[in-house]
Amino acid sequence: VTVYSSKKVELLSRIYDHAKKKYKYGFRLLTLGWSDGNTFLPVNGSLLSSENQKSRINEAREMDKRTIGFSRKIARTKATSVMLALIDLAKKACIAASHVLFDTWFCSPSSLIAIKKKALDVVAMVKKTSKMHFLYNGKMQPLIEIYKQNRKRRGRSKYLLSVEISIVKDDDTIPARDIYVRNRN
């Protein structure tokens, strides 16, 4: 009987654990699920290593291109690319969906436009950063500046502000609605 340590696993990498605030050896799991608002059904998933070779502990062995292991090379690609691939597989399997929901990790103009090209709408939380700009009043601006320019709802309203913006990346532009809420939870 041969016993293997987990440190010998192919594509093992250093992964940051946000709960414990330290690095561990392992993989990230990206799960695509379907929901009707009450239930959540996992549809597909992918284990992700790191695309950065310096973060990987073990590299993958050379293998026959006809094997299932060879198709797992997706573990070394960016999570945003894997997300788009999982959406394509779900559409190919005729899983009905009209919206894609995700958090700030995947919310970038390129991801939003790529999903819109797949005839799906997106509901997502956007990062509060000055690096990402959106078209508002004919000018590319970060969300913080858009927020400062508008009058907010008074009182204890959960929704502070709702404005029409455009998401622009290269030559592609799509309309969007930016909603600012008081309590993110």
Side-chain angles (χ1 to χ4, degrees):
V1 176
T2 307
V3 178
Y4 293 100
S5 170
S6 63
K7 291 182 182 177
K8 304 285 185 190
V9 174
E10 288 182 333
L11 299 176
L12 181 72
S13 63
R14 292 181 64 223
I15 304 295
Y16 187 71
D17 184 350
H18 293 275
K20 296 185 179 174
K21 301 198 184 320
K22 63 180 186 177
Y23 283 92
K24 292 184 171 185
Y25 292 155
F27 297 89
R28 295 174 294 146
L29 176 63
L30 182 62
T31 304
L32 175 75
W34 180 90
S35 177
D36 62 358
N38 293 318
T39 56
F40 177 82
L41 299 171
V43 173
N44 201 346
S46 179
L47 285 177
L48 301 177
S49 181
S50 175
E51 73 171 312
N52 183 0
Q53 190 173 2
K54 292 178 184 175
S55 295
R56 288 196 298 265
I57 307 304
N58 297 320
E59 289 299 321
R61 296 177 296 161
E62 282 297 317
M63 58 179 64
D64 188 353
K65 293 182 179 181
R66 297 171 292 177
T67 63
I68 190 70
F70 182 78
S71 67
R72 295 295 176 203
K73 66 183 177 188
I74 198 166
R76 289 179 270 191
T77 58
K78 283 183 153 186
T80 50
S81 302
V82 175
M83 172 199 54
L84 295 172
L86 292 176
I87 291 171
D88 287 339
L89 288 170
K91 286 187 80 164
K92 196 180 288 185
C94 297
I95 296 173
S98 59
H99 289 76
V100 177
L101 171 71
F102 50 77
D103 64 358
T104 58
W105 289 91
F106 298 101
C107 191
S108 68
S110 57
S111 294
L112 297 172
I113 289 172
I115 293 172
K116 189 64 177 174
K117 285 182 178 178
K118 297 177 186 306
L120 295 168
D121 290 324
V122 175
V123 176
M125 186 183 300
V126 182
K127 295 174 189 165
K128 186 178 174 183
T129 178
S130 60
K131 295 179 181 177
M132 214 176 342
H133 292 74
F134 301 93
L135 185 63
Y136 179 70
N137 287 340
K139 190 171 141 189
M140 294 298 286
Q141 309 176 56
L143 291 177
I144 299 164
E145 291 300 318
I146 296 170
Y147 182 76
K148 288 177 184 177
Q149 293 175 20
N150 290 285
R151 191 167 164 238
K152 283 44 142 212
R153 291 187 184 167
R154 297 181 52 177
R156 304 187 86 198
S157 174
K158 291 181 181 179
Y159 303 101
L160 296 172
L161 176 65
S162 176
V163 294
E164 295 287 328
I165 61 171
S166 294
I167 299 169
V168 179
K169 182 70 175 176
D170 300 329
D171 294 332
D172 297 319
T173 303
I174 58 171
R177 177 171 292 280
D178 187 19
I179 301 172
Y180 297 85
V181 295
R182 187 176 306 277
N183 182 0
R184 342 184 299 156
N185 298 327

